[in-house]
Amino acid sequence: MKIATWNVNSLNVRLPHVLKWLEENPIDVLCIQETKMTDDKFPQAAIEAAGYHVVFSGQKTYNGVAIISKLPMADVVKNNPLYEDAQQRIIAATIDGVRVVCAYVPNGQSIDSDKYQYKLGWLAAFHDWIKSEAAQHPQIAVVGDYNIAPEDRDVHDPAAWEGQVLVSVPERAALQRLLDIGLADAYRLFEQAEKSFSWWDYRALGFRLNKGLRIDHILLSPALVARCSACIIDRVPRKWEQPSDHAPVVATLD
DNA sequence: ATGGCTCGTGTAACGAGA
């Protein structure tokens, strides 16, 4: 099973990219974030016509998540049952015995913002829910746009970013608490090139100069770590016309 | 240089993203 996560930054704009990428890559499960559309606008028919099942949870303008899967999905959950949230940021499903959680973690905007406090509270509740999900599902993958760069090596210019949102100590601690449940960052199970990122700013030639952050992650339970033979970031669609600012992260489970 | 670009909204700028 190949499982991927990709923040598409508007499925309205990026549906052709998603379909092209699925056509060119043998992906079994693709979790997408920032669909930015209500469920009545979701392009379900186009995705099903491409040979996939899809479940989705969206809202107008902001957020919105979906899981696209070759195999049928069961036990679909939208949002965290432990956390009242008007924003649509989580969808989960069980696929071929694997519990897949697709999450769009709040950005936080800046560390002095109300949105930063929302992010930390959201992450605390997410931790509690994932802990119970992991206890019930030995094979669990918790994937998505975490909006957190785990370490300085995941940041193009750690000095410039020090203490800022996406790299601050409380955010990194929240991510570490998720790992402490027993989950592993699939990307770091393997040797990777230095300066590997999953997001690059649209501005100031961010991608061409590789000024990026690694903020999209695939976290795996021990039973899935045992099955995981590769994890890569696919930079190819970031080079396409009118790209998302994020690249897909792909884990191979044998 | 706290911007740079790209979204949605709505049809002009502006908020938000990261």
Side-chain angles (χ1 to χ4, degrees), chain A residues 134-232:
Chain A
Q136 292 166 55
H137 302 96
Q139 298 198 89
I140 185 169
V142 187
V143 318
D145 177 357
Y146 280 78
N147 271 317
I148 301 170
E151 301 176 61
D152 281 352
R153 61 177 166 163
D154 302 310
V155 181
H156 69 92
D157 185 349
W161 278 86
E162 190 181 359
Q164 303 288 319
V165 72
L166 311 189
V167 309
S168 74
V169 169
E171 291 166 86
R172 285 176 167 174
L175 179 57
Q176 185 58 49
R177 287 198 73 213
L178 281 170
L179 299 174
D180 289 344
I181 291 170
L183 303 173
D185 178 351
Y187 196 71
R188 293 302 182 200
L189 296 174
F190 306 96
E191 185 116 3
Q192 305 289 1
E194 281 184 33
K195 301 194 179 300
S196 290
F197 307 124
S198 66
W199 168 88
W200 302 262
D201 202 312
Y202 283 125
R203 299 165 294 184
L205 305 174
F207 184 66
R208 202 191 302 177
L209 300 174
N210 197 30
K211 290 182 170 178
L213 304 172
R214 193 175 70 89
I215 55 178
D216 301 271
H217 308 301
I218 293 177
L219 306 190
L220 300 177
S221 63
L224 292 185
V225 167
R227 292 175 56 186
C228 187
S229 58
C231 186
I232 60 107

Side-chain angles (χ1 to χ4, degrees), chain A residues 8-19:
Chain A
V8 297
N9 184 16
S10 170
L11 190 56
N12 265 329
V13 178
R14 234 66 68 183
L15 179 62
H17 302 65
V18 169
L19 294 175

Side-chain angles (χ1 to χ4, degrees), chain A residues 47-117:
Chain A
I47 290 170
E48 288 177 348
Y52 290 87
H53 302 264
V54 63
V55 294
F56 43 90
S57 177
Q59 66 183 88
K60 195 177 175 186
T61 311
Y62 301 113
N63 311 312
V65 285
I67 304 176
I68 298 168
S69 171
K70 278 187 181 161
L71 294 173
M73 289 173 271
D75 301 322
V76 175
V77 169
K78 299 176 180 182
N79 270 354
N80 178 351
L82 306 178
Y83 185 77
E84 196 72 38
D85 193 357
Q87 304 187 20
Q88 305 305 305
R89 295 181 173 278
I90 297 172
I91 191 164
T94 301
I95 304 159
D96 198 21
V98 177
R99 189 67 175 156
V100 176
V101 177
C102 169
Y104 175 46
V105 176
N107 170 283
Q109 198 166 64
S110 68
I111 60 166
D112 56 2
S113 162
D114 290 346
K115 291 174 183 158
Y116 182 76
Q117 295 307 321

